[in-house]
Amino acid sequence: MNRSMASSYTLPPVATLASSPQQLQEVLDHLFEPSPALYSLVASQLPRHFADYAAFADWVAGLLRSGLRGDDETLLSILRAHPRLGAKRVDSVHSQAEQKSLAVADPDEAGRLLELNDEYERTFPGMRYVVFVAGRSRPVIMQNMKERIARGDIEAEKKEAIEAMRDIAKDRAAKLTPQ
């Protein structure tokens, strides 16, 4: 997805999601992060109707939560579709904009963020730290990361990551819905 496509993109009516696999893929790529595993999971269980995109995001989160008792590798693959916080290269235009507040001018602080990402991924193998960053400062995010690492509970981490994905999707939907 290129920058101009994302900046001019508006979500189609939510009622059309079940009628077009290509449109469903495009919507998922914009609201979440591009993930073949997420598309396969959603497409295989998609109901016909949603009241709005917030309800769709809630449904996807519920689907992922129910996956906690099933195919863990699919869930981890979906979570890993999110970019690392503070990464120099972020493919998703939406994630680039959301992480803009995390841009680090201080090399020591950039190094610390990299270390925290590494520590998080060692603590939670196969996971990626996912958090709703909008309106939160870098120090607040880094403190949250430290607390989640210290907690050391991978099941709580999966749940928190799913909730963050839901919140991110709802925020993006609000920005991408025609007024």
Side-chain angles (χ1 to χ4, degrees):
M1 164 183 11
N2 66 42
R3 185 175 305 281
S4 63
M5 182 180 144
S7 63
S8 64
Y9 182 80
T10 56
L11 290 169
V14 71
T16 65
L17 284 181
S19 63
S20 169
Q22 181 179 359
Q23 192 170 63
L24 175 62
Q25 176 74 58
E26 191 172 80
V27 166
L28 286 168
D29 287 355
H30 280 280
L31 295 184
F32 296 91
E33 294 292 324
S35 167
L38 180 62
Y39 172 77
S40 295
L41 182 67
V42 169
S44 71
Q45 299 187 42
L46 186 68
R48 288 274 171 215
H49 300 289
F50 295 97
D52 54 27
Y53 276 103
F56 175 68
D58 287 338
W59 176 78
V60 171
L63 188 60
L64 293 172
R65 279 191 302 273
S66 71
L68 291 175
R69 295 180 294 278
D71 181 4
D72 219 33
E73 191 47 47
T74 297
L75 175 62
L76 294 177
S77 170
I78 292 166
L79 295 175
R80 284 190 307 266
H82 282 264
R84 290 178 110 204
L85 284 183
K88 290 181 190 244
R89 180 184 151 103
V90 177
D91 292 330
S92 164
V93 175
H94 300 296
S95 288
Q96 287 173 7
E98 292 157 357
Q99 288 195 30
K100 196 176 243 182
S101 67
L102 298 177
V104 181
D106 177 358
D108 290 337
E109 197 168 53
R112 183 63 187 135
L113 188 55
L114 179 63
E115 289 171 9
L116 281 170
N117 275 303
D118 290 343
E119 185 178 354
Y120 180 91
E121 292 167 11
R122 278 192 308 275
T123 304
F124 305 110
M127 294 277 296
R128 177 78 40 90
Y129 175 73
V130 182
V131 67
F132 181 57
V133 298
R136 298 168 77 186
S137 68
R138 189 178 335 102
V140 168
I141 297 292
M142 290 173 72
Q143 182 59 38
N144 176 263
M145 226 172 165
K146 291 174 190 174
E147 290 168 0
R148 288 168 61 176
I149 291 167
R151 177 175 63 193
D153 182 343
I154 195 163
E155 294 307 314
E157 238 359 80
K158 290 175 191 172
K159 291 175 186 171
E160 206 158 327
I162 290 167
E163 298 313 307
M165 286 177 57
R166 182 202 63 212
D167 294 344
I168 292 165
K170 285 182 172 184
D171 184 62
R172 290 177 180 179
K175 294 173 182 168
L176 298 172
T177 301
Q179 298 303 322

